Amino acid sequence: MSVLNRRALLAGAALPLIAIGSRPARAVEFTLKLANNSPITHPQSIRQQEAADRIKAATNGAVEIQLFPNNQLGSDTDMLSQLRSGAIDFFTLSGLILSTLVPAASINGIGFAFKDYDTVWKAMDGKLGAHVRSEIGKRGLIAFDNIWDNGFRQITSSSRPIKLPADLKGFKIRVPVSPLWTSMFTALGASPISINFAEVYSALQTKIAEGQENPLTLIQIAKLYEVQKYCSMTSHMWDGFWMLGNAKGFAALPKDAQAIIAREFNAAAFKERADIAALNGSVAADLKAKGLEFVEVDKPAFRDALKTAGFYAEWKKKYGDEAWAILEGEVGTLS
Ligand code: X2X
């Protein structure tokens, strides 16, 4: 019997109910670190803290997960190294950024692949997600089953409204550190600059970058509207955060603790998805009220520009026929 099962017996099953509430607090046996790049008020951070609390309660105090949100432990690039070395135990990271280590992990970010959230969740909780998680598993990491929502990404700008691909010509746009992002905005004619999220606000404020692209919720929560003027609803890609773990560290935990952690992280992902869905209903109006000017875009023109530039053909070759077939099986023909 594992530590936790013994503990559960001692704490509950073997004792009369009345003893449970008054049992003495027990020592923490495993202190684990969870890090992310999201502001503390983002649903991702809120639901992660809640999951940590639930895990502590469900393990009767044995597993304490300390949350380090908002790049407290460094940039995404830093935190990925820390996760690999075991300095942190869990880390939520965009699959596109993870692709610097696991190339297959950026596949959900292919331009204009997903038409709506139903298609996203079916693919990511289904075959496409399973394919990516198995690739992640080959690199000393684990990915919990259910990916967290970041959202459909929109382009903001401080210098000029972006309506058509031609408006992106020479446009200095901050993109996260990922070959797919650089390739996509280069194909659209822009001048992408790779910058970790930790530096985005200041990069926009100092005009190192004229614009950036992120889901509306993050534009709101990270207050990027303060340093941006226009917002173009391109929805050019869907991006999510994999809950990653250091495989060796996770395997060293008692099996029942592993099961509780997995259950709670996955349940929290579904709650976070619902939080973002609810925010999506009100966030555009709020951003307008804060002075962000929304711009109508010719969406098909952006997709055509990618096609013409050979973007889909290039990435099909990079991911390979098998992975591409899984993607197209979920979203329809892309190239
Ligand atoms: O870096 C970004 O823009 C962010 C926060 O959306 C990601 O984590 C990909």
Side-chain angles (χ1 to χ4, degrees), residues 37 76 94 97 150 153 174 176 181 195-197 200 212-215 218 239 241:
N37 72 2
D76 279 331
S94 160
I97 301 176
N150 189 1
R153 300 179 75 96
R174 171 272 170 172
W181 254 303
I195 299 176
N196 273 299
F197 191 66
V200 167
Q212 64 87 46
E213 43 81 64
N214 248 304
L218 210 52
D239 175 39
F241 300 107

Side-chain angles (χ1 to χ4, degrees), residues 31-35 64-65 82-83 86-91 141-142 144 244-247 249-250 253 265:
T31 304
L32 307 171
K33 292 190 172 125
L34 161 61
E64 180 171 284
I65 297 181
Q82 291 165 28
L83 180 73
I88 57 179
D89 302 280
F90 305 107
F91 171 37
L141 301 177
I142 51 160
F144 292 89
L244 303 171
N246 175 291
F250 192 68
L253 295 172
F265 279 166

